[in-house]
Amino acid sequence: MALSGLEIFKKLPKTNCKECGFPTCLAFAMQLAAGKVELEKCPHISDEVKEALSEASQPPILKVEIGVGEESFAVGEETVLFRHDRTFVNQNAFAIIIEDDMDSGKIEEVVKNINSIVYERVGQILKLDAVCIKNKSENREKFLKVVGDVTSLTKKPLILVSVDPETLKSAADMFKENKPIIHAATADNIDFFIAIGKETGCPIAVRGKTFEDIAAITEKMRNAGIKNLVIDIGSRDFKDDFYNQIILRMAAIKQKNRLFGYPTIVFPDEMTDDPLKETLIASIFVAKYGSIIVLSNTNSQNIFPLLIYRQNIYTDPRRPMQVEQKIYEIGSPNESSPVLITTNFSLTYFIISGEVESSKVPSWLLVMDVEGQSVLTAWAAGKFVPELIAQFIKKSGIAEKVKKKEIVIPGYVAQLQGELEEELGEEWKVVVGPREAGEVPKFLKEYIT
Ligand code: SF4
């Protein structure tokens, strides 16, 4: 179990020197116990105490890294139950299932689909994360061959699933450089998997039907020095598994029970044969609390909504997504091209720039830093107001790039037109653009004629 704030406090220097950024050692200890601050922030802790406190300074759910190279990812490291309490840290990973009795052509097709699913939204790349290979054939040679074939087709991290520990040992030995998850250790074969974990360094999935089973396995693993664990408490029944995910997360975060403080893996692919239902189930695990979510299909109508939903859940509510304040050139504009202005909320920028691009009218898009707020929010907060907009336009350098001194403001803030013209001076004219982004192409085409 993790140390309490008072237990940590007893080990600190108690000088209240404030160098950690907290007014007292006790305040620092409380934050450390809550996993909200790094132990390194106190420069006065001896190595001995550091070692004793290192566990307390780790997040209640440990971070586990899967795979190697540019496609590797991390899960876990969460510190809160609800996104609005602070933020979620490492987004869920989506894995697609491949069964080793599928024919090689089908396997190649699925892996190519997995690789090809890449979307860009508000400046972020959305994609699938892993391939889960199941030893459905229960044939070791076949399984190893399929794993080898898949690794030649993708760099995505792997989850290797078999009911035969010897097959998993062979796979872990052969593919340990790829750092796949080995699924799964159970109460019956724990010593065998401790050896695999120690020899290969691969993350181990631990499977149990009850919380007592899981606690017994993770405790034994921890005592053996293996913390690279992923919990599978699934009965493959949605209701049970949903409940289990919540209990695990609460035990790890609220009770600080280290035996449950690991990322989890869930298998919606085994809960239903209906692709739409699978997507709905997966979406629930995105929010609560499946760290790795295994799916059966790569249809874009199923995957795309999940990727978008995950992106929204895993943005940091304390930091609005924003783009850089600057003049964006869309389609090689010249001195006669229209000049538009908007705010630096990512979604606003990408929607407006997308519509300007689709209009095929080369334009200058001025993006003003309003701390990542949308146009109306920034206006209501006093950040997108005539005085500040005029200051930005004058400093931006746009006047040197265009002959026609006209600027198009969003239709939602049409009321700023007169005051902004006053702030900008006689040289500039302010034009009110459309309220909705979808009307931008039509507006621009008419505007330049
Ligand atoms: Fe206490 Fe260390 Fe913080 Fe100083 S830096 S107040 S000694 S916890």
Side-chain angles (χ1 to χ4, degrees):
M1 300 280 277
L3 296 177
S4 69
L6 282 177
E7 286 166 327
I8 294 170
F9 172 66
K10 285 178 194 161
K11 297 180 189 295
L12 294 177
K14 301 185 196 69
T15 58
N16 298 335
C17 72
K18 302 185 178 57
E19 285 179 49
C20 56
F22 292 90
T24 61
C25 292
L26 182 60
F28 177 76
M30 292 302 176
Q31 293 299 308
L32 190 61
K36 293 181 178 173
V37 67
E38 305 278 316
L39 184 58
E40 283 65 35
K41 292 273 180 198
C42 173
H44 305 296
I45 298 178
S46 68
D47 288 347
E48 210 175 65
V49 173
K50 231 178 228 171
E51 204 181 323
L53 292 181
S54 64
E55 182 166 282
S57 69
Q58 288 176 342
I61 295 179
L62 294 185
K63 176 182 177 181
V64 174
E65 291 180 19
I66 321 290
V68 291
E70 60 192 33
E71 293 279 356
S72 63
F73 61 86
V75 282
E77 217 179 358
E78 304 301 336
T79 59
V80 292
L81 267 186
F82 305 108
R83 174 185 178 269
H84 58 258
D85 283 342
R86 197 175 182 200
T87 183
F88 289 161
V89 181
N90 286 307
Q91 67 179 12
N92 333 78
F94 292 120
I96 300 294
I97 204 81
I98 282 181
E99 291 170 340
D100 66 354
D101 61 354
M102 288 157 66
D103 70 58
S104 58
K106 179 69 183 165
I107 289 173
E108 188 172 339
E109 185 191 321
V110 174
V111 178
K112 282 186 175 165
N113 277 346
I114 293 169
N115 288 337
S116 70
I117 291 180
V118 180
Y119 302 98
E120 187 177 351
R121 181 172 181 265
V122 289
Q124 293 185 346
I125 299 297
L126 313 181
K127 58 184 183 175
L128 294 168
D129 305 282
V131 182
C132 179
I133 307 174
K134 273 189 193 169
N135 181 210
K136 192 176 174 197
S137 70
E138 299 193 13
N139 177 313
R140 188 173 310 164
E141 301 312 317
K142 198 168 193 170
F143 182 66
L144 296 177
K145 177 166 184 327
V146 169
V147 177
D149 290 348
V150 171
T151 57
S152 69
L153 293 166
T154 185
K155 291 188 168 40
K156 303 269 184 204
L158 303 178
I159 302 159
L160 305 181
V161 180
S162 176
V163 291
D164 177 26
E166 290 289 352
T167 296
L168 287 173
K169 178 170 174 14
S170 301
D173 286 340
M174 280 177 73
F175 300 100
K176 61 187 171 201
E177 303 303 326
N178 301 61
K179 289 281 173 284
I181 296 177
I182 305 300
H183 183 289
T186 63
D188 300 333
N189 55 33
I190 177 107
D191 293 327
F192 190 79
F193 276 86
I194 286 173
I196 294 177
K198 282 187 171 172
E199 282 162 25
T200 65
C202 293
I204 305 286
V206 299
R207 185 165 190 194
K209 287 195 173 136
T210 65
F211 297 105
E212 290 76 20
D213 287 348
I214 294 291
I217 302 170
T218 56
E219 183 165 32
K220 213 165 172 187
M221 286 279 189
R222 285 175 74 84
N223 292 341
I226 297 177
K227 295 183 182 174
N228 234 5
L229 302 176
V230 173
I231 294 177
D232 175 3
I233 194 172
S235 64
R236 311 305 188 244
D237 171 81
F238 167 63
K239 195 173 153 200
D240 287 351
D241 286 6
F242 178 54
Y243 171 81
N244 289 341
Q245 294 305 308
I246 291 172
I247 298 298
L248 280 175
R249 181 64 62 100
M250 288 178 73
I253 304 260
K254 288 285 178 202
Q255 297 171 3
K256 303 200 183 311
N257 189 330
R258 290 285 184 192
L259 299 180
F260 298 127
Y262 299 96
T264 63
I265 185 167
V266 290
F267 289 83
D269 68 305
E270 294 183 29
M271 295 176 197
T272 177
D273 293 327
D274 178 344
L276 180 57
K277 243 185 184 173
E278 181 185 292
T279 303
L280 288 170
I281 290 170
S283 71
I284 291 164
F285 286 127
V286 167
K288 292 189 182 315
Y289 291 109
S291 312
I292 300 168
I293 300 170
V294 182
L295 304 165
S296 67
N297 77 77
T298 54
N299 296 333
S300 55
Q301 69 266 30
N302 299 109
I303 297 298
F304 184 66
L306 284 175
L307 293 172
I308 298 286
Y309 180 55
R310 176 180 71 176
Q311 184 187 33
N312 286 312
I313 295 287
Y314 279 84
T315 51
D316 187 340
R318 299 164 304 174
R319 293 187 193 90
M321 293 167 76
Q322 46 191 287
V323 294
E324 191 188 344
Q325 166 173 289
K326 66 175 189 178
I327 303 169
Y328 289 81
E329 298 180 18
I330 301 177
S332 306
N334 58 34
E335 57 187 15
S336 306
S337 299
V339 180
L340 299 92
I341 187 166
T342 190
T343 64
N344 74 328
F345 177 42
S346 285
L347 200 55
T348 301
Y349 164 74
F350 282 101
I351 289 173
I352 296 293
S353 60
E355 294 295 346
V356 175
E357 207 172 324
S358 73
S359 76
K360 306 263 188 288
V361 177
S363 303
W364 305 96
L365 180 59
L366 270 61
V367 172
M368 181 173 157
D369 182 1
V370 291
E371 297 171 15
Q373 294 182 338
S374 64
V375 168
L376 275 180
T377 313
W379 168 70
K383 292 174 185 162
F384 195 64
V385 292
E387 188 186 345
L388 298 177
I389 298 171
Q391 279 174 19
F392 165 60
I393 292 171
K394 286 174 185 170
K395 280 189 190 159
S396 70
I398 189 66
E400 287 82 59
K401 294 180 186 292
V402 290
K403 276 197 302 199
K404 189 177 169 187
K405 303 289 190 287
E406 279 189 13
I407 185 140
V408 181
I409 62 170
Y412 274 112
V413 285
Q415 69 275 25
L416 305 184
Q417 184 182 26
E419 212 180 316
L420 182 57
E421 274 181 343
E422 274 175 35
E423 293 284 348
L424 284 168
E426 285 177 6
E427 194 187 15
W428 283 89
K429 183 179 167 199
V430 176
V431 176
V432 176
R435 288 165 74 93
E436 302 299 335
E439 296 163 12
V440 167
K442 182 170 174 279
F443 168 83
L444 281 176
K445 281 175 195 153
E446 290 171 2
Y447 179 68
I448 57 167
T449 54

